Amino acid sequence: MLALKDIQQQIAAGENEKVEFKQGFNNEVIETVVAFANTSGGSLFIGVSDAGKITGTSTAKETLQNWTKEIKNKTSPAQVVDIAEYEIDGKVIYQIRVNEFPVKPVSFKGRYFKRVKNSNHQLSVHEISEIHLQSLQLSWDSYPYPNATMDDLDFDKVRLFIAKVNNSGRFILPEKVEDALNKLLSLIHISEPTRPY
């Protein structure tokens, strides 16, 4: 739980890539949870207007439990958040803290979002696949090129490239073509050229 002055400073700074204000709990809150989880984490403040004015909110004893459960049930993979209560100027607000999720993307009702500046951006199909590959530390380029073999490569051009790299002095590549391609960003995978070929 953060100190009250830290919370007040976050609110005073306004909405941004890591901070969102909502006057009440609704589906937009869960959408923002997903956006934060797919980006670099963040905090939602419930009981604060878009302009950063503390409006406060009232909740029943079970409300926070219900919020946690609703977020968990409506996100996939299920997100578990931290909720803290603060009182500012006699008004109660809640901070929902969201951590960046390691394996992306996270969805809300089958839709995927990421945080861009102070708003949520719905991901396209291409962005969904890119963010997933990035979270696994893979890229489209690292997948084998369909039906390609080492015989499809122009070995003279590869040798010329190896010579240019070695002459530059930045680093030295092995003379053997297959070893050089293995060293360079996995340009071959199990003796098959990958997509950059």
Side-chain angles (χ1 to χ4, degrees):
M1 192 163 166
L2 293 173
L4 189 57
K5 66 177 177 133
D6 294 330
I7 294 296
Q8 289 171 311
Q9 285 175 350
Q10 281 189 29
I11 293 170
E15 291 183 322
N16 56 47
E17 191 172 82
K18 295 181 78 87
V19 175
E20 174 81 8
F21 303 144
K22 295 290 179 200
Q23 289 189 272
F25 185 90
N26 54 29
N27 281 339
E28 288 181 3
V29 168
I30 304 173
E31 181 183 296
T32 303
V33 166
V34 164
F36 283 154
N38 285 332
T39 315
S40 55
S43 289
L44 287 109
F45 291 97
I46 310 295
V48 181
S49 74
D50 288 344
K53 183 181 178 196
I54 307 292
T55 57
T57 187
S58 58
T59 58
K61 189 176 182 181
E62 304 82 24
T63 300
L64 300 186
Q65 233 176 358
N66 291 339
W67 289 357
T68 303
K69 190 184 295 183
E70 190 172 347
I71 290 169
K72 187 177 177 185
N73 290 339
K74 290 184 176 180
T75 56
S76 179
Q79 298 299 293
V80 179
V81 297
D82 293 320
I83 303 178
E85 180 181 311
Y86 296 92
E87 187 175 325
I88 300 175
D89 300 328
K91 295 173 182 171
V92 175
I93 66 165
Y94 296 93
Q95 178 196 31
I96 300 175
R97 285 184 309 164
V98 182
N99 293 319
E100 179 179 359
F101 199 68
V103 181
K104 300 172 185 71
V106 177
S107 70
F108 164 56
K109 292 185 172 180
R111 296 181 303 153
Y112 300 83
F113 300 89
K114 71 176 180 179
R115 192 73 174 170
V116 179
K117 296 184 181 176
N118 64 345
S119 64
N120 302 329
H121 165 76
Q122 187 167 354
L123 298 173
S124 67
V125 172
H126 175 74
E127 288 172 314
I128 291 167
S129 51
E130 280 296 312
I131 198 172
H132 180 67
L133 290 172
Q134 286 170 5
S135 74
L136 298 175
Q137 296 182 343
L138 298 172
S139 75
W140 183 81
D141 292 347
S142 69
Y143 284 92
Y145 195 91
N147 304 316
T149 68
M150 292 295 287
D151 294 336
D152 294 317
L153 297 176
D154 184 333
F155 280 75
D156 290 334
K157 285 184 181 177
V158 175
R159 286 188 192 95
L160 182 62
F161 174 76
I162 291 169
K164 283 184 178 180
V165 169
N166 289 345
N167 289 336
S168 75
R170 288 183 60 204
F171 61 92
I172 303 298
L173 288 173
E175 294 297 325
K176 188 176 174 191
V177 169
E178 191 167 327
D179 293 342
L181 293 175
N182 266 325
K183 189 170 182 176
L184 283 171
L185 304 172
S186 301
L187 292 177
I188 58 173
H189 177 72
I190 314 173
S191 298
E192 293 179 352
T194 56
R195 291 187 184 273
Y197 125 86

